[in-house]
Amino acid sequence: MLHGSNDYTLNGELTDIQEDWRVDGDLAGECRVRSARRAGDITIEVDALQSQGLVQHFEVQWISGSQPVTTATYLLEDDTVSVLWRRNGDSEVEPVTVPAAEQSPLLFPLLRIFTGPLIEGLIARDGDGLVVLP
């Protein structure tokens, strides 16, 4: 297990934005990555499954205070990306399935821990690729 925290600054001064992360598993193979960014009363939580450095599946939850507002699940399958949205108090809705371009898209859950693997994935594709984010 690896874990850490990123603090954000503005003009050299610490802000109230903090991002914690934790990686369970083998970074070269399959691992689960959990991360949360807190900015005042708003939190974004991500739970992702990575395989060989690339995100294959993730759930992102937006929280205001202590109440979840929206949850979205993204799943990369051979040539599609499926997205399932749920708003606070709503039951699950039918997933939206989006066909991928010529190559599988790269999933980017927006938090800092996922930036390095995204850049590596784009470099491996000569800087060309579709990036899906919430």
Side-chain angles (χ1 to χ4, degrees), residues 15-130:
T15 66
D16 67 345
I17 302 170
Q18 185 175 19
E19 192 171 307
D20 299 317
W21 55 269
R22 175 182 166 160
V23 178
D24 294 305
D26 177 7
L27 287 173
E30 192 169 287
C31 64
R32 170 159 252 110
V33 181
R34 293 181 179 98
S35 186
R37 179 183 298 154
R38 284 173 294 289
D41 198 32
I42 304 296
T43 301
I44 300 172
E45 291 182 350
V46 172
D47 185 356
L49 179 63
Q50 283 185 321
S51 181
Q52 295 160 349
L54 298 177
V55 177
Q56 302 297 313
H57 172 269
F58 74 92
E59 182 173 282
V60 59
Q61 188 171 56
W62 290 267
I63 300 166
S64 178
S66 61
Q67 296 296 321
V69 177
T70 303
T71 302
T73 303
Y74 291 72
L75 176 61
L76 179 62
E77 296 172 317
D78 296 324
D79 58 352
T80 63
V81 175
S82 295
V83 182
L84 176 66
W85 283 89
R86 296 178 302 281
R87 297 209 186 279
N88 187 26
D90 291 347
S91 60
E92 292 186 6
V93 297
E94 288 293 316
V96 174
T97 302
V98 179
E102 294 175 16
Q103 4 176 315
S104 264
L106 299 169
L107 299 181
F108 181 50
L110 290 179
L111 300 183
R112 209 177 256 189
I113 186 71
F114 301 102
T115 305
L118 173 68
I119 292 169
E120 288 175 346
L122 287 169
I123 289 170
R125 297 173 180 196
D126 296 323
D128 188 28
L130 174 66

